[in-house]
Amino acid sequence: MRLSWLAGGLCLQLGALAFQPRPVSLRAQRARQLYSSTKDAQDWLVEPMDTERAREVASSFQHEDFEPVWWAKNNNVMTIAGAGVVSDAWKKLTGAPAEPPFYDVRKQVLARDGAEIFVDFRAADRAAGWKGEHVVVMLHGLESSTEAPQMKRMGQAFNDVGCDVAAVSFRSCAFDGETPSAPGAYHLGFTNDVQDVLRSLARNPLLPLADEEASGKTPPAPKFYLSAFSLGANVCLKLLGEYGDGEADEWAGVDVRGAAVSCVPFDPVACSPLLSDVTFNRIVYSGNFLKTLIPKAERQYAALGADAFPPSFSIERVRQSKSIGDFDDAYIAPIYGFMDKWDYYATQGCFPGGYLEKIRVPAHVINAKDDPFIMDVRLPTKEDIGEAPLSLQYTQYGGHCGFLAQASQGGQMWLPRQLARFIAHLKEQL
């Protein structure tokens, strides 16, 4: 086993020598100049959060029980109905009118590699407009988007507690046909784009406003909160572990106060078989994801050409993928330099990767024990997280991002409101 890993590492190194990346574009050069120095004239000091105080704030948050609707106690029914599949089909059948735009404006943020990150903004006070003082940065799940019903419900809930929201699109998910300009897009542990969005908003808190709207206004020192579900939730918690207490130079001026996340695949090593080996999950859930993942990979391969990809990459292996695990082995691992999917899962999962215990700001987590993607396999305990200021809430029911509650609890708004309750708790306590 040890020799095979060493051999695999040697092959990767030799492959890297043979693989000649494309010349760095002017856009990428400008991005590197922008992010090479975190100190500038507009920079301000952020007071590191006291870990003991963070634990007090997290532990003082009161959980509210989840009571599922009687007909959705089956985890797959809860997951599929909660995703809006039934309601979307009904709207199409009845010819319901299109909903008005949810967000106020979409802007592009330049990433460190020169790529454009699409961010949708919505002000808490639609009449007064963007203030940028309390900002919740939201992340979606695998092959989801900022237009997903769950994202809009979360955005509304955060607006209701007085927070502006910035919804980040992972690469290739901003609009139909979006093709990243370099191999790859996003994955369980890809935190660079989120960090770049935070740093950009820290430098320019009035970014969502037009120049004439921002003129004459004094930029606030924004307080950031993170929220996400599913894959995005792992990205979020991993980023919090990287952030720590925020004292590292790369985080200068970025004041992250905490996070509220749901349906976290804490340990992808343990979760992977649930989507690959369980027949229903492989056919229904993995199959649904692969309907967009494989065509995106094919479109990117056709646009960039074989020479843009590492020698170990095979588009045929991608096309033959029958599960998410197959796709991660064929696409994610070779492009991002992991030995295989297991190396990817072990290093990028927020739990096995060792990021949870490094978190130093308060965070609230809601996971269902019957989540078909995750179940109760390796859900972290208080003993596992050590001194990290995490509030862990594991419900008996809920499925994966379903959480259809009794009408008295708000129905589909139960989960978004719980996340927003925690953010409001942070605003009040910190």
Side-chain angles (χ1 to χ4, degrees):
M1 176 68 72
R2 190 179 299 274
L3 289 175
S4 66
W5 276 68
L6 288 173
L10 179 59
C11 288
L12 283 174
Q13 292 178 24
L14 292 174
L17 290 175
F19 173 51
Q20 297 299 321
R22 292 186 174 186
V24 178
S25 67
L26 291 176
R27 179 182 290 275
Q29 292 177 31
R30 289 197 297 270
R32 290 179 180 178
Q33 290 172 358
L34 175 64
Y35 289 108
S36 63
S37 175
T38 57
K39 303 290 184 180
D40 58 36
Q42 201 176 358
D43 193 29
W44 56 85
L45 294 176
V46 174
E47 187 69 25
M49 188 174 296
D50 178 74
T51 305
E52 184 61 37
R53 176 59 182 154
R55 284 197 294 270
E56 291 175 0
V57 171
S59 62
S60 65
F61 179 67
Q62 299 298 310
H63 299 176
E64 291 186 356
D65 292 337
F66 171 68
E67 298 177 9
V69 291
W70 65 269
W71 52 267
K73 290 187 178 181
N74 175 278
N75 60 353
N76 291 312
V77 172
M78 178 71 80
T79 298
I80 294 171
V85 174
V86 177
S87 59
D88 287 349
W90 178 253
K91 289 177 182 177
K92 290 180 180 179
L93 183 65
T94 58
E99 297 178 355
F102 180 76
Y103 300 101
D104 300 325
V105 66
R106 167 171 283 190
K107 295 279 188 174
Q108 289 82 45
V109 170
L110 193 63
R112 65 191 69 185
D113 64 355
E116 288 185 332
I117 309 166
F118 292 88
V119 186
D120 294 312
F121 297 92
R122 179 182 165 99
D125 187 333
R126 309 300 295 286
W130 182 269
K131 294 182 179 178
E133 182 178 358
H134 294 279
V135 180
V136 179
V137 176
M138 302 191 306
L139 310 176
H140 57 76
L142 179 65
E143 289 304 277
S144 185
S145 74
T146 59
E147 291 293 332
Q150 181 76 328
M151 289 287 279
K152 292 180 180 179
R153 289 193 289 265
M154 289 165 57
Q156 183 61 64
F158 294 132
N159 282 169
D160 290 344
V161 297
C163 292
D164 296 332
V165 298
V168 180
S169 289
F170 289 126
R171 300 187 190 193
S172 80
C173 297
F175 53 85
D176 289 342
E178 181 194 5
T179 303
S181 57
Y186 65 100
H187 63 69
L188 276 163
F190 191 72
T191 57
N192 287 359
D193 285 358
V194 187
Q195 185 186 71
D196 290 348
V197 168
L198 288 167
R199 293 165 69 180
S200 182
L201 284 172
R203 286 192 179 91
N204 183 12
L206 301 180
L207 173 66
L209 300 180
D211 291 342
E212 58 272 18
E213 294 177 300
S215 179
K217 291 188 177 181
T218 302
K223 300 173 181 64
F224 295 112
Y225 313 87
L226 302 179
S227 190
F229 58 87
S230 197
L231 175 145
N234 185 83
V235 173
C236 177
L237 293 181
K238 178 175 179 284
L239 182 138
L240 288 187
E242 294 168 347
Y243 180 83
D245 57 13
E247 285 194 292
D249 283 350
E250 64 181 339
W251 292 105
V254 179
D255 186 4
V256 177
R257 294 300 177 96
V261 298
S262 63
C263 307
V264 188
F266 288 102
D267 187 351
V269 174
C271 297
S272 177
L274 294 173
L275 283 175
S276 299
D277 299 341
V278 178
T279 303
F280 180 88
N281 293 358
R282 184 180 67 253
I283 295 173
V284 176
Y285 299 131
S286 281
N288 183 60
F289 290 132
L290 293 174
K291 284 180 182 178
T292 55
L293 285 169
I294 293 175
K296 283 181 179 180
E298 290 178 319
R299 190 166 60 242
Q300 188 179 63
Y301 189 79
L304 302 180
D307 290 344
F309 291 78
S312 59
F313 179 83
S314 168
I315 192 62
E316 289 305 318
R317 282 192 64 206
V318 174
R319 289 172 177 148
Q320 294 168 9
S321 298
K322 301 300 182 185
S323 68
I324 295 301
D326 291 344
F327 183 84
D328 289 340
D329 236 355
Y331 183 81
I332 297 295
I335 287 178
Y336 289 96
F338 301 111
M339 292 184 179
D340 53 25
K341 65 181 179 181
W342 302 114
D343 180 39
Y344 163 47
Y345 297 153
T347 58
Q348 302 305 297
C350 63
F351 188 9
Y355 294 97
L356 287 182
E357 57 262 39
K358 296 177 183 177
I359 294 175
R360 293 295 178 267
V361 297
H364 180 51
V365 178
I366 300 176
N367 266 51
K369 293 180 180 179
D370 71 344
D371 187 325
F373 294 17
I374 304 165
M375 301 300 285
D376 57 356
V377 178
R378 289 277 287 166
L379 291 179
T381 65
K382 290 183 178 179
E383 290 72 27
D384 292 322
I385 62 177
E387 299 298 306
L390 297 182
S391 166
L392 302 175
Q393 181 177 2
Y394 302 143
T395 62
Q396 182 178 357
Y397 302 103
H400 188 74
C401 301
F403 289 95
L404 294 171
Q406 300 281 351
S408 60
Q409 287 194 315
Q412 285 188 310
M413 285 302 293
W414 182 85
L415 178 59
R417 286 175 181 168
Q418 301 311 306
L419 302 178
R421 281 184 58 240
F422 187 75
I423 298 303
H425 178 68
L426 299 184
K427 286 178 60 183
E428 178 183 336
Q429 298 293 322
L430 298 176

